[in-house]
């Protein structure tokens, strides 16, 4: 599915964008499997939340009926 984008979001996260942004910057632009492996070993509190959002976007891509 190259060229398609899928979105997912984490609403009402009890975390400031200031603290989440450095973790997001680590995985921005990476392939999904690479991003998930990076987040698996990140000690920051935002890492599990971002990992779940990426897994949700991956599930959304798998359920695409077009």
């Amino acid at each position: 599915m190259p060229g398609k984008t899928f979105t997912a979001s984490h609403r009402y996260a009890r975390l400031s964008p200031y603290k989440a942004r450095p973790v997001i910057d680590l995985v921005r632009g990476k392939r999904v499997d690479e991003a998930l492996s990076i987040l698996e070993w990140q000690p920051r509190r935002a890492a599990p939340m971002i990992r779940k959002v990426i897994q949700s976007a991956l599930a959304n891509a798998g359920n695409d009926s077009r």
Side-chain angles (χ1 to χ4, degrees):
M1 287 179 257
K4 288 188 107 176
T5 59
F6 298 93
T7 60
S9 63
H10 186 317
R11 296 176 63 188
Y12 311 113
R14 304 278 300 165
L15 186 72
S16 71
Y18 180 79
K19 292 179 181 178
R21 196 169 289 120
V23 180
I24 293 170
D25 288 340
L26 285 174
V27 297
R28 185 176 286 136
K30 303 264 194 297
R31 292 190 341 259
V32 174
D33 56 343
E34 187 178 351
L36 291 175
S37 66
I38 289 170
L39 290 172
E40 185 177 357
W41 300 104
Q42 273 300 308
R44 300 195 126 188
R45 186 174 146 209
M49 295 179 201
I50 297 167
R51 191 173 195 324
K52 285 180 86 171
V53 170
I54 292 174
Q55 288 173 336
S56 176
L58 187 60
N60 291 345
N63 291 332
D64 187 31
S65 62
R66 290 184 231 162

